[in-house]
């Protein structure tokens, strides 16, 4: 049974004020109403009211009910609690509500006042859903609180590092090297007593190694050219010369007749004109020949006879003297191309192809005037030796044969305008690319060889009285 709604009971400004803690609540007053006749329902009200009063006995007062709530407590919670409980529990009103003339009865000592039963307990409400059955202590929460459900305050100080595997701080200073044995210096050796130290002797290398500045220049190994920078013959002509040499091997030493031996001793050999020679060649005077070639003249080799060196007459092994020198000179009188004079002078063993320049095939050597290179059985480019020839200059070439300890030493020298311009040993300056020196070592007869190409004028001089350079062992008027 309902005695009235919340709207009728607490609507408007007739709500009694909340009593102070420890003070009896103020009884509400109502305006008198006209007394109606009692009905059967009203007659049964006291009995029903008695049973309802026994059912709605409030719980015994809590010891905390007398405590004053903190200042942060909101008094509006009372009304919200009233609304929450009004739907679930009937409210018992005093008799003065129904009977305004009845005296006010004090509440029983074992029951709490009707209005005071709705007062919340002192302190903040307990946390919802935390599972903590104990109320928080009075007063403000302790510092460093981490939320509901944390009953213990964190220790003072900053929190420890998160995720650090090392709980200890490193020692001060730079880190120590790990397994760095190189940084640790090895222990020093014990000192050696002065008495046991070995006596150091200075090596006198200057007395062992001689002064190399007095040595001749080293040979120009691998200095040969594949071709000349001036003029070159064709490969077919070179192959033809090699074929001719294979068909005509070197002749053995010859015996000179009386006329040939007399011409050799008087330095008056005769120059033989080759078949391919284009030009003129004339005997000028004793021991001197003059020649002139055409502009379109091909390669040719002019050879003198008798040979200047014969084994049976001049070999150091058979003659009373251990050394023999042969020499002659050539003067350049004219040239179709003064900047490139194609004339060569040298020696050759017999026979030799007359359509090839001396020095290009076996048993011959020569110095060529178009590039200044020396050629020793070399049909390619020769080796550096001297400068190109010039018109008006005189050049000489000679060979010296010396018997040394049962073998023959051969040296070649070259002169320009009466001065020696270079010399070389036949064997010392050879390299692995050179062809054999067979025919030039003093075991074969050797004749003078003058090569020409193109237009050039020249003189060949055999008489020693007219030479600009006088080799060792020669003097004017000397025979042989």
């Amino acid at each position: 049974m309902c005695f009235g709604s919340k709207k009728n009971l607490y609507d408007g400004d007739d709500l009694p004020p909340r009593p102070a803690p420890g003070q009896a609540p103020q009884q509400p007053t109502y305006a008198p109403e006209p007394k109606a006749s009692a009905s059967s329902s009203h007659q049964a009200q006291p009995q029903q009211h008695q049973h309802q009063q026994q059912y709605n006995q409030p719980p015994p007062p809590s010891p905390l009910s007398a405590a004053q709530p903190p200042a942060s407590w909101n008094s509006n919670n009372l009304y919200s609690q009233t609304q929450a409980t009004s739907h679930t529990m009937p409210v018992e009103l005093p008799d003065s509500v129904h009977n305004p003339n009845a005296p006010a009865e004090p509440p029983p000592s074992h029951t709490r006042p009707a209005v005071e039963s709705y007062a919340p307990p002192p302190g903040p409400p307990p946390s919802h859903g935390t599972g903590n059955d104990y109320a928080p202590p009075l007063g403000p929460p302790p510092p460093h609180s981490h939320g509901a459900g944390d009953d213990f305050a964190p220790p003072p100080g900053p929190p420890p590092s998160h995720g650090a595997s090392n709980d200890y701080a490193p020692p001060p200073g730079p880190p120590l090297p790990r397994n760095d044995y190189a940084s640790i210096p090895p222990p020093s050796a014990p000192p050696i007593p002065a008495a046991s130290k070995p006596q150091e002797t200075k090596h006198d290398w200057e007395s062992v190694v001689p002064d190399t500045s007095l040595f001749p220049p080293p040979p120009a190994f691998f200095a040969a050219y594949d071709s000349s920078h001036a003029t070159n013959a064709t490969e077919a002509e070179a192959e033809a010369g090699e074929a001719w040499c294979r068909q005509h091997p070197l002749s053995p030493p010859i015996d000179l007749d009386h006329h040939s031996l007399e011409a050799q001793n008087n330095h008056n050999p005769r120059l033989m004109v080759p078949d391919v020679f284009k030009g003129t060649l004339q005997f000028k005077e004793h021991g001197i020949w003059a020649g002139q070639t055409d502009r379109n003249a091909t390669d040719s080799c002019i050879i003198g006879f008798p040979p200047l060196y014969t084994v049976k007459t001049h070999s150091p092994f058979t003659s009373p003297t251990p050394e023999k020198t042969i020499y002659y000179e050539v003067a350049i009188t004219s040239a179709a191309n003064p900047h490139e004079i194609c004339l060569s002078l040298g020696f050759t063993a017999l026979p030799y192809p007359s359509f090839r320049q001396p020095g290009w095939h076996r048993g011959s050597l020569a110095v060529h005037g178009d590039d200044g290179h020396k050629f020793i059985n070399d049909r390619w480019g020769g080796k550096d030796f001297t400068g190109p020839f010039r018109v008006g200059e005189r050049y000489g070439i000679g060979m010296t044969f010396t018997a040394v300890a049962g073998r023959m030493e051969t040296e070649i020298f070259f002169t320009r305008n009466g001065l020696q311009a270079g010399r070389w040993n036949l064997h010392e300056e050879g390299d692995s690319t050179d062809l054999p020196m067979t025919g030039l070592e003093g075991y074969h007869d050797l004749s003078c060889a003058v090569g020409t190409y193109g237009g050039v004028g020249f003189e060949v001089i055999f008489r020693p009285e007219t030479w600009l350079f006088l080799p060792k062992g020669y003097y004017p008027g000397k025979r042989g």
Side-chain angles (χ1 to χ4, degrees), residues 69 72 201 375 395-396 433:
S72 63
T201 58
F375 291 78
Y395 306 96
T433 62

Side-chain angles (χ1 to χ4, degrees), residues 64 66 311 332 426 433 468:
L64 299 176
V311 174
I332 307 297
L426 183 66
T433 62
L468 298 181

Side-chain angles (χ1 to χ4, degrees), residues 124-212:
S127 59
H128 301 282
T130 59
N132 192 357
D133 297 339
Y134 299 95
L138 299 178
H144 306 290
S145 177
H146 294 280
D150 192 0
D151 297 339
F152 302 96
S161 60
H162 299 283
S165 60
N166 190 3
D167 297 336
Y168 301 95
L176 298 177
R178 298 181 180 179
N179 299 330
D180 190 5
Y181 299 102
S183 62
I184 304 175
S188 59
I192 302 175
S196 62
K197 288 184 178 179
Q199 298 295 330
E200 297 181 357
T201 58
K202 182 180 179 181
H203 178 63
D204 189 10
W205 62 270
E206 295 180 352
S207 61
V208 178
V209 180
D211 187 5
T212 58

